[in-house]
Amino acid sequence: MDEMRPSSGAAAHLGLASIFPPGLQAIYGECRRLYPDQANPLQVTAIVKYWLGGPDPLDYISMYRNLGCPGQDVPEHWHYVSLGLSDLYGDNRVHEFTGQEGPSGFGFELTFRLKREAGETAPPTWPAELMQGLARYVFQSENTFCSGDHISWHSPLDNSESRIQHMLLTEDPQMQPMQTPFGHISFLQIVGVCTEELQAAQQWNGQGILDLLRGVHIAGGPWLITDMRRGETIFDIDPHLQERVDKGIETDGSNLSGVSAKCAWDDLSRPPEDEDDSRSICIGSQPRRLSDKDTEQIREALRKGLEINSKSVLPPISSQKHSHDRPQSRKDSLESESSAAIVPHELVRTRQLESVHLKFNQESGTLLPLCLRGRLLHGRHFTYKSINGDTAITFVSTGVEGAFATEEHPYAAHGPWLQVTDMASSASAESVSSLQCTVLPVSHPDASPAALSRSWTPPGGG
């Protein structure tokens, strides 16, 4: 990437917008609404565009100087806006054009607000590389983000010694969702957080922690501005906030209904030599793929998994519903790289298992208490979806309708998708003893976390 001053912003301002792609025009127009005096902003641009074989999916990241809002105690900061996750061109060079009614490209662009340091005359460019990293994940996995998601990054965002090492996502407070000739776009703002704040978001919910951050000026304030020099968590600044989180967990549970993870499971009921077995096998082996219908069932379960005031439901296996929120060529968080049925759905039978062995890397294993305390005890479900293949492990409480694991048969599998019922309330001691769980140490080759681990907190979805 290279930093430059493009002429596109100024040209559009001079009425020459017709020579620029409509998707690009639309985003520039929203930026000009906020920054009428910055028609020619500094930009970081991919030297070789993604559609010409370059490695960076974002064509541009525009960088603006935002004066803040003294009346709301919002400090001056740098405002970064990505261009490329949405469809800028409408000619299928990057995104498939599916009409104006659906999302444009992935349906969103990323933004980031970084506190301006005293004496700083130009914006730092490291946030652009951070945004390119997130965009690469989206393009490679075709998994989309939504407000309330968390991203485990495990490294200072600016490669310094900062405590800001993870991210939450929320709606940008100034940039409005918009309609373009190629579909609709929303703007998701990256918010840098400390490890303790990330863990609180996992155990309770991302929106709740974002609300707490908005109430603490030096931790983000109303516009959630990231300060990489912040050395204290919101719980250090105001210890009473931990009580609010604990109360929220006790009352609401967690709205984190699943994570991308390194995980696997073995059916100990059968010898591993049985090649006709449709179960998942150990880490490093090639599992069978989830069918489209199974994948859609997990997606629908996660969408509905956040409805706190209604009974949790897993749609029946035979459900043929599809999401109309985005083109089917795009993947929701649980869809695999190729759900095209290697094994036809009708030929993969649901099997009740007598004994299973679950395997998780260390980070995934730390979420097991959240799964039990924050989800199952509140009558919900929690899914681990393997980042290495199509394996999925869903823990379900006995109150979840439509699950194929039951009180009588607490372990059940449909292809590589395993369901395990709430052992504390539905299984006998004999059944509990048939469940083995291994959390691999950090030194194990399969235990290292992915470079990017993200949550699923889809809107409208308990």
Side-chain angles (χ1 to χ4, degrees):
M1 295 190 301
D2 188 27
E3 186 177 335
M4 61 178 291
R5 287 185 179 272
S7 60
S8 55
H13 187 67
L14 293 173
L16 302 178
S18 60
I19 68 174
F20 296 102
L24 202 60
Q25 290 179 36
I27 298 174
Y28 279 153
E30 175 65 8
C31 292
R32 287 196 303 272
R33 182 184 67 82
L34 293 180
Y35 304 105
D37 58 341
Q38 298 181 58
N40 189 34
L42 281 173
Q43 285 187 322
V44 172
T45 182
I47 296 176
V48 180
K49 296 295 187 283
Y50 191 71
W51 38 274
L52 293 176
D56 298 317
L58 301 176
D59 280 7
Y60 309 101
I61 298 97
S62 294
M63 302 178 290
Y64 298 90
R65 183 169 178 170
N66 191 303
L67 298 180
C69 181
Q72 297 183 44
D73 204 19
V74 175
E76 189 172 341
H77 58 278
W78 304 109
H79 191 195
Y80 300 76
V81 181
S82 76
L83 298 103
L85 284 161
S86 63
D87 191 350
L88 304 179
Y89 306 99
D91 57 7
N92 295 317
R93 73 177 71 178
V94 179
H95 300 281
E96 178 184 357
F97 176 57
T98 58
Q100 296 184 14
E101 299 305 315
S104 170
F106 287 102
F108 68 95
E109 293 288 353
L110 294 171
T111 73
F112 182 62
R113 295 174 185 269
L114 177 67
K115 183 179 178 182
R116 177 178 171 270
E117 299 296 335
E120 215 169 36
T121 58
T125 58
W126 64 260
E129 180 53 39
L130 179 72
M131 296 168 87
Q132 288 284 17
L134 294 178
R136 281 191 287 270
Y137 166 80
V138 172
F139 272 80
Q140 291 167 11
S141 67
E142 292 192 331
N143 292 338
T144 59
F145 292 128
C146 63
S147 180
D149 275 354
H150 77 258
I151 301 170
S152 305
W153 198 251
H154 300 286
S155 177
L157 304 188
D158 61 352
N159 294 316
S160 67
E161 299 299 318
S162 174
R163 292 187 68 178
I164 309 300
Q165 301 188 9
H166 308 280
M167 292 165 272
L168 298 178
L169 294 174
T170 188
E171 297 91 352
D172 189 283
Q174 288 187 296
M175 301 195 72
Q176 300 299 316
M178 60 189 304
Q179 183 68 38
T180 79
F182 310 134
H184 56 77
I185 303 174
S186 61
F187 294 91
L188 290 180
Q189 180 175 318
I190 300 164
V191 182
V193 296
C194 303
T195 298
E196 295 83 352
E197 294 156 357
L198 172 83
Q199 293 171 344
Q202 292 174 331
Q203 294 165 11
W204 184 25
N205 64 74
Q207 297 294 355
I209 300 304
L210 288 165
D211 287 342
L212 296 184
L213 289 165
R214 289 187 182 97
V216 180
H217 170 67
I218 62 175
W223 291 8
L224 292 170
I225 297 166
T226 298
D227 180 0
M228 295 304 297
R229 294 180 180 270
R230 176 162 68 95
E232 295 179 302
T233 72
I234 56 173
F235 308 113
D236 297 327
I237 298 168
D238 184 353
H240 293 96
L241 295 181
Q242 185 63 58
E243 299 176 8
R244 291 179 59 180
V245 173
D246 292 340
K247 181 65 174 177
I249 295 172
E250 180 182 351
T251 304
D252 305 329
S254 172
N255 79 342
L256 179 64
S257 54
V259 291
S260 300
K262 285 194 174 181
C263 63
W265 62 272
D266 287 314
D267 175 9
L268 301 182
S269 313
R270 289 189 171 191
E273 295 79 17
D274 185 355
E275 295 184 357
D276 293 328
D277 187 3
S278 64
R279 64 179 171 84
S280 166
I281 54 181
C282 62
I283 296 174
S285 300
Q286 180 63 42
R288 294 178 186 260
R289 295 192 180 277
L290 286 169
S291 72
D292 286 334
K293 292 181 180 179
D294 285 341
T295 298
E296 182 61 28
Q297 179 180 356
I298 302 176
R299 290 203 306 259
E300 288 296 322
L302 292 181
R303 290 192 194 103
K304 297 181 179 180
L306 304 181
E307 295 171 355
I308 295 174
N309 295 322
S310 62
K311 194 169 186 180
S312 297
V313 176
L314 284 169
I317 284 278
S318 60
S319 172
Q320 300 187 34
K321 293 186 296 181
H322 292 279
S323 171
H324 300 289
D325 295 336
R326 59 180 66 94
Q328 291 181 23
S329 61
R330 296 302 187 197
K331 299 173 186 174
D332 289 318
S333 18
L334 273 174
E335 190 163 314
S336 59
E337 289 187 6
S338 176
S339 296
I342 289 178
V343 180
H345 178 273
E346 302 79 29
L347 300 182
V348 180
R349 60 190 176 91
T350 300
R351 297 192 301 106
Q352 284 74 45
L353 312 180
E354 296 178 3
S355 180
V356 295
H357 181 195
L358 311 182
K359 300 176 184 178
F360 302 97
N361 69 325
Q362 188 174 47
E363 182 178 6
S364 303
T366 61
L367 296 178
L368 286 170
L370 179 154
C371 168
L372 297 173
R373 178 189 175 196
R375 299 294 298 176
L376 299 190
L377 291 181
H378 291 265
R380 301 175 198 160
H381 49 80
F382 189 88
T383 296
Y384 290 93
K385 172 66 176 68
S386 174
I387 61 174
N388 294 328
D390 287 323
T391 300
I393 302 170
T394 296
F395 292 87
V396 296
S397 71
T398 53
V400 175
E401 297 178 355
F404 46 81
T406 64
E407 292 188 29
E408 183 180 1
H409 300 288
Y411 316 119
H414 195 84
W417 183 14
L418 174 71
Q419 288 188 8
V420 180
T421 60
D422 182 358
M423 295 294 96
S425 61
S426 65
S428 64
E430 181 179 351
S431 295
V432 173
S433 66
S434 64
L435 175 65
Q436 298 181 23
C437 184
T438 300
V439 177
L440 300 175
V442 174
S443 58
H444 193 282
D446 290 319
S448 59
L452 184 147
S453 162
R454 60 144 312 203
S455 65
W456 300 315
T457 52

